[in-house]
């Protein structure tokens, strides 16, 4: 198992390097000269421009700039933004809020999605199955920002049961509704994926054998159907954690949450290329880490994978 983890970590290195290179090029050069973005309508003297280029290593070749950046990231140094504030401070203040928001969304989509998917799969062809499929399709079809505004207006403005804006008071209670909005689309996908896995495994030979041997219905579902059906679901949920943190920008804007999404939104508006690169780099690292955890969970769910590894 240790050898397998080491091999997976080695495989992540080229992915991390390639992703950071792509992010760096897009953030610093896709929109033109970053120094010109800083200037805006306010002209800067050539001396100040040269100082800024030297400070952010923009006077060096692109590959050298990227290597310097990666070297600093490995040491935990994400540099300084154009506003003079260390980027790690901005991320440190915002990251816990977005992480709590993403965890709430994952818990919601995991529990409700798997439960609804199992019910739908076991009741295939019934009115329950049809209703759950229609609900999931409706959720997927409606954009997240629409669901967010409707939930905010209904529960916050009309009924007053939740705060309309979270602001800086990002307590667990205040993040429940934004977490629901963030995870509602993923909930629909988990439901449909679980249903598909349940219906496929339920007709497998080993399930029929267990039923023929007289094993109870509950035992068949828990030991033979559920365990084998959850592997693709776990894959999706693990990858979705990183996606939720990246996609939180819409939810955080709707509910005025000061998280990573808000930091990234402001950085894009102000053309803060160092902040954009650093935030997205952390998202890449989280995505790679969650994928490693998912790979390890495979061994727990399927003994065949554990023995092979």
């Amino acid at each position: 198992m240790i050898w397998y983890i080491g091999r997976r970590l080695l495989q992540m290195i080229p992915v991390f390097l390639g992703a950071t290179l792509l992010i760096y090029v897009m953030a610093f050069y896709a929109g033109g000269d970053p120094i010109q973005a800083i200037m805006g309508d306010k002209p800067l003297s050539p001396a100040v421009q040269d100082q800024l280029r030297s400070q952010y290593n923009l006077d060096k070749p692109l590959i050298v700039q990227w290597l310097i950046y990666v070297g600093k990231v490995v040491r935990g140094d994400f540099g300084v933004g154009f506003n003079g504030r260390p980027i790690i401070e901005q991320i440190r203040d915002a990251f816990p809020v977005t992480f709590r928001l993403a965890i709430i969304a994952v818990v919601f989509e995991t529990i409700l999605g798997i439960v609804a998917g199992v019910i739908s799969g076991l009741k295939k062809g019934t009115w329950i199955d049809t209703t759950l499929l229609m609900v999931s399709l409706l959720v997927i079809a409606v954009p997240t920002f629409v669901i967010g505004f409707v939930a905010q207006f209904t529960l916050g403005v009309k009924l007053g049961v939740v705060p309309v804006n979270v602001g800086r008071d990002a307590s667990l209670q205040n993040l429940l509704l934004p977490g629901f909005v963030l995870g509602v689309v993923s909930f629909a996908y988990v439901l449909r994926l679980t249903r598909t896995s349940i219906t496929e495994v339920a007709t497998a030979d080993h399930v029929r054998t267990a039923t023929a041997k007289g094993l109870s219905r509950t035992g068949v579902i828990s030991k033979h159907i559920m365990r084998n059906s959850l592997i693709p679901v776990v894959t999706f949920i693990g990858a979705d954690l990183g996606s939720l943190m990246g996609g939180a920008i819409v939810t955080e804007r709707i509910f005025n949450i000061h998280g990573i999404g808000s930091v990234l939104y402001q950085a894009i508006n102000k053309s803060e290329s160092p902040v954009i690169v650093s935030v997205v780099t952390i998202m890449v690292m989280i995505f790679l880490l969650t994928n490693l955890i998912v790979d390890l969970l495979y061994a727990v769910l399927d003994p065949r994978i554990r023995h092979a590894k």
Side-chain angles (χ1 to χ4, degrees):
M1 182 62 72
I2 296 178
W3 175 83
Y4 173 77
I5 296 175
R7 188 181 69 175
R8 290 291 294 161
L9 289 174
L10 289 176
Q11 292 174 351
M12 291 180 181
I13 293 176
V15 176
F16 173 76
L17 294 177
T20 53
L21 177 60
L22 181 62
I23 295 165
Y24 194 92
V25 172
M26 293 179 63
F28 275 94
Y29 294 99
D33 187 358
I35 300 301
Q36 294 296 328
I38 299 175
M39 293 171 56
D41 297 331
K42 182 180 179 180
L44 297 176
S45 65
V48 174
Q49 294 186 40
D50 292 340
Q51 181 183 357
L52 289 173
R53 295 184 191 279
S54 176
Q55 179 180 352
Y56 293 100
N57 301 307
L58 297 177
D59 55 344
K60 298 179 176 60
L62 174 61
I63 189 67
V64 176
Q65 298 176 35
W66 172 69
L67 290 174
I68 293 174
Y69 171 75
V70 172
K72 289 182 177 180
V73 168
V74 172
R75 298 192 302 269
D77 180 11
F78 289 92
V80 179
F82 290 155
N83 58 1
R85 185 184 177 191
I87 297 175
I88 191 64
E89 291 185 2
Q90 303 180 46
I91 296 175
R92 186 177 59 209
D93 294 340
F95 180 81
V97 177
T98 302
F99 185 74
R100 289 198 300 269
L101 182 65
I103 291 298
I104 292 173
V106 168
V107 170
F108 164 73
E109 72 175 73
T110 301
I111 297 177
L112 296 186
I114 291 178
V115 171
V118 170
I119 295 174
S120 181
L122 296 177
K123 300 290 185 180
K124 182 180 178 181
T126 64
W127 67 270
I128 298 177
D129 178 36
T130 303
T131 302
L132 290 174
L133 288 178
M134 290 178 60
V135 170
S136 65
L137 186 60
L138 177 64
V139 169
I140 294 173
V142 179
T144 303
F145 68 88
V146 175
I147 298 175
F149 282 124
V150 170
Q152 184 185 49
F153 179 77
T154 304
L155 300 178
V157 177
K158 289 294 185 180
L159 300 180
V161 295
V162 295
V164 177
N165 291 319
V166 175
R168 298 191 178 275
D169 183 21
S171 62
L172 184 62
Q173 181 180 357
N174 290 343
L175 290 177
L176 288 178
L177 179 59
F180 163 80
V181 172
L182 180 61
V184 67
V185 175
S186 297
F187 151 77
Y189 284 116
V190 171
L191 187 159
R192 300 177 74 89
L193 184 59
T194 304
R195 176 192 180 274
T196 302
S197 299
I198 289 290
T199 54
E200 289 179 355
V201 175
T203 57
D205 292 338
H206 69 278
V207 176
R208 293 177 179 176
T209 302
T211 303
K213 288 182 176 180
L215 191 63
S216 65
R217 180 65 172 169
T218 304
V220 171
I221 294 174
S222 60
K223 295 182 179 179
H224 296 280
I225 297 180
M226 284 287 295
R227 198 164 191 174
N228 293 285
S229 301
L230 287 180
I231 292 179
V233 179
V234 169
T235 304
F236 175 83
I237 293 174
D240 196 44
L241 177 59
S243 301
L244 287 174
M245 294 195 67
I249 182 171
V250 175
T251 306
E252 291 184 359
R253 291 298 299 171
I254 294 174
F255 293 95
N256 191 28
I257 301 173
H258 297 278
I260 287 292
S262 178
V263 172
L264 185 59
Y265 177 82
Q266 295 176 11
I268 293 174
N269 279 344
K270 298 177 181 178
S271 298
E272 286 263 7
S273 301
V275 179
I276 297 173
V277 173
S278 299
V279 170
V280 179
T281 298
I282 290 179
M283 296 300 179
V284 172
M285 295 168 65
I286 293 174
F287 184 82
L288 294 175
L289 178 60
T290 53
N291 274 269
L292 176 61
I293 295 174
V294 166
D295 285 346
L296 297 179
L297 286 176
Y298 286 165
V300 177
L301 295 173
D302 194 339
R304 296 171 298 178
I305 298 177
R306 180 170 63 250
H307 295 321
K309 292 177 181 179

